[in-house]
Amino acid sequence: MTLQAIQYSEGNLAIIDQLQLPHVEKYIPIQTSEEGWHAIKEMRVRGAPAIAIVAALALASELSTLMDCNKLSPSADDTRTFIIEKLHFLVSSRPTAVNLSDAAGKLQTIVEESVKFPQSTGRSVAFAFIKAAEAMLEKDVEDNKKIGKYGAMWISENTLSNNSRARVLTHCNTGSLATSGFGTALGVIRALASTDSLLHAYCTETRPYNQGSRLTAFELVHDRIPATLITDSMAGALLARADIRVNAIVVGADRVAANGDTANKIGTYGLAVLAKHHGVKFLVAAPLTTIDLATKSGDEITIEERPASEVTMVRGICEHGGTSEDVRMATVSIAAKGINVWNPAFDVTPWTLIDGIITERGVMEKGSDGLFHLDKLFKD
Ligand code: MRU
C-alpha cells in the first residue's frame, strides 16, 4: 500500500498534513479554495504536481458544496467568472512550480469551452470543471508510473553493467507525498527497487525545510527500500568515495524552461555540479506539466523566497519517550538572534549539467547539436 497524500471522493478532499509528518499521520479536510490556498502556502501540501492537484480539487469540492446547498449561480457566465477568479487566487499561493498555473490554464480553457455549449448552466459549467479536476488526479499517477519505468530503464542501460544494481541519490521529496501517487524522482527509485535493480538509495536532508529527512525518508522506510539519509553537506563526500559508486542522481522539478534549465528545490544545483565533477549521471524526472516552453531559460523563472524563520528555527517532536497519542511538537531556535537570512526555496540547474529529462514520454537526452529539444515532447 503506497502512501496517499491526497484523498478525494465525490467532492470530498482531504490531505495528509505534511507539517506533522513523519510523526503524526493526520488527514485534514479541504473544502474550499481558501482552505486549499492556505494548505499550499503553509506547506501542508507541497511538491509541484501535488499543489496543482490540491488546488484544482479544493475548488472542485467548493463547487460541489455550493451545488449541494443550491448556492451556485444558475448562470453559466457567473459561474465561469467565479471559477476563474478562484483559479487566479489559487495560483497566487506559490510562484515557482509551473504545474499550478498549467493546471489553472487548462481548467480555465475547459470552463470557457463549457460556457459555449447551448443551454449551458451554472451547474453544467461546474460539472465540467469538477470532471476535469478529477481527471488530473488520475492522470498524474499514470504519468508517474511511466516516468518511473523509463527512468529505471535508462539508469540500468546507461550506468549498470551485467547483473549490477544501482545506487541512486535523490534530493527533497518527489514521492507519493509530492504527487497524486508513486512520485517522479522517487518513482524512479521505486521502479528500480520493484525490479530488484536498486542496491541503495540515498536521500538528502534538504535544509531548511527537511523534506528529505521528514518525507522522503518516511516514504523509503514505509516502502522498505534500502536507504540512507545524509545531510546536504555530505553529498560531496559520498560521491568522492571509491568504495561506494553512486550511479545516478535523480531529482524532480518545479519548472523546466524550454532550454532545459531546471528550477528545483534549493541545493539541486550544487548536486548537479558535484555530479559533473564526479562523472555521475544527473537526471531530472518530471511530468510534461512541469515543462514550460513559454519560459525560455532559467533566468526568467521566479524563485520563491520563504520566511527567515524556516532557516532560524526547526520544528519537530520532543523526544520524551511518550506514545504516539501524546506526541508533542515543538519549535526550537537554532540561529543567532539578529542575523540576516536569505531563504530561496529553489535554485536553477543549468541545462548543461543535466544528462536526461525523464517524462511520461521517455527520457530526453540532448540532440546531436548538444541541446535539449523539449518542444518535441509536445508533438504527437
Ligand atoms: O518547496 P517544495 O517542497 O514544494 O519543493 C518541492 C520540490 O522542489 C520537488 O522536487 C518538486 O516540486 C518536484 S515534486 C514531484
Side-chain angles (χ1 to χ4, degrees):
M1 183 64 186
T2 56
L3 285 167
Q4 258 194 313
I6 304 168
Q7 290 182 341
Y8 176 84
S9 172
E10 293 175 6
N12 292 305
L13 172 65
I15 58 163
I16 199 161
D17 182 358
Q18 298 193 27
L19 290 182
Q20 299 195 51
L21 287 176
H23 315 295
V24 178
E25 290 177 46
K26 187 179 165 205
Y27 283 85
I28 46 173
I30 303 285
Q31 278 151 348
T32 62
S33 42
E34 185 91 17
E35 288 174 0
W37 188 93
H38 281 286
I40 295 166
K41 185 83 181 166
E42 290 155 18
M43 310 270 278
R44 294 186 190 282
V45 59
R46 25 66 49 206
I51 61 180
I53 285 155
V54 166
L57 292 176
L59 183 47
S61 300
E62 182 166 350
L63 290 168
S64 295
T65 310
L66 288 173
M67 283 194 283
D68 290 348
C69 309
N70 278 326
K71 285 192 177 152
L72 187 79
S73 165
S75 149
D77 279 326
D78 288 354
T79 302
R80 173 192 47 198
T81 307
F82 175 82
I83 291 174
I84 291 171
E85 274 172 11
K86 296 285 180 187
L87 284 173
H88 286 157
F89 167 64
L90 284 160
V91 167
S92 72
S93 56
R94 291 191 76 190
T96 304
V98 72
N99 308 57
L100 182 53
S101 50
D102 177 77
K106 285 175 179 153
L107 290 166
Q108 178 164 344
T109 305
I110 284 161
V111 166
E112 304 280 12
E113 289 303 312
S114 73
V115 174
K116 289 185 198 151
F117 281 121
Q119 282 133 31
S120 64
T121 60
R123 285 182 90 81
S124 69
V125 172
F127 274 126
F129 178 92
I130 292 168
K131 240 177 92 205
E134 289 173 354
M136 283 178 172
L137 179 71
E138 299 297 319
K139 186 167 184 309
D140 188 51
V141 183
E142 286 163 24
D143 290 345
N144 291 340
K145 295 215 166 130
K146 290 182 194 157
I147 289 171
K149 186 181 85 180
Y150 289 131
M153 271 163 49
W154 193 95
I155 289 171
S156 298
E157 283 164 15
N158 291 278
T159 77
L160 299 180
S161 49
N162 282 350
N163 296 328
S164 65
R165 291 182 295 158
R167 290 187 177 97
V168 178
L169 170 65
T170 192
H171 187 53
C172 194
N173 174 264
T174 60
S176 299
L177 295 166
T179 61
S180 302
F182 200 70
T184 56
L186 196 48
V188 173
I189 290 174
R190 283 199 162 98
L192 281 166
S194 72
T195 54
D196 203 23
S197 306
L198 182 80
L199 185 59
H200 209 80
Y202 294 88
C203 65
T204 56
E205 181 186 27
T206 319
R207 282 283 294 146
Y209 220 74
N210 298 330
Q211 289 93 332
S213 55
R214 291 190 302 111
L215 309 175
T216 301
F218 178 66
E219 291 201 40
L220 290 165
V221 170
H222 179 278
D223 282 20
R224 300 204 168 109
I225 292 174
T228 298
L229 170 68
I230 59 169
T231 68
D232 302 356
S233 52
M234 293 169 190
L238 175 69
L239 264 53
R241 275 184 67 164
D243 58 332
I244 296 178
R245 297 294 304 158
V246 171
N247 299 84
I249 298 180
V250 189
V251 297
D254 287 82
R255 190 182 295 246
V256 181
N259 68 349
D261 287 352
T262 295
N264 189 49
K265 181 50 55 196
I266 190 76
T268 303
Y269 171 46
L271 290 174
V273 173
L274 282 173
K276 184 63 97 195
H277 181 74
H278 290 280
V280 172
K281 296 291 182 197
F282 189 87
L283 300 165
V284 170
L288 293 190
T289 50
T290 308
I291 296 174
D292 179 16
L293 296 181
T295 296
K296 295 294 165 231
S297 77
D299 296 342
E300 295 174 23
I301 300 175
T302 304
I303 300 293
E304 175 187 9
E305 294 202 9
R306 295 196 53 92
S309 57
E310 290 180 359
V311 176
T312 59
M313 315 246 186
V314 164
R315 190 163 165 77
I317 52 163
C318 302
E319 285 290 341
H320 55 80
T323 62
S324 57
E325 283 81 50
D326 66 357
V327 160
R328 199 157 56 87
M329 305 280 293
T331 301
V332 293
S333 168
I334 54 162
K337 291 261 178 292
I339 189 70
N340 291 319
V341 173
W342 179 48
N343 183 16
F346 305 97
D347 58 26
V348 175
T349 299
W351 62 270
T352 46
L353 299 177
I354 299 168
D355 292 298
I357 298 175
I358 314 163
T359 74
E360 62 271 34
R361 292 252 167 132
V363 181
M364 168 148 288
E365 296 178 49
K366 290 165 197 150
S368 51
D369 57 359
L371 304 173
F372 282 114
H373 295 279
L374 295 173
D375 52 326
K376 285 190 183 160
L377 292 169
F378 294 87
K379 294 177 184 146
D380 288 327

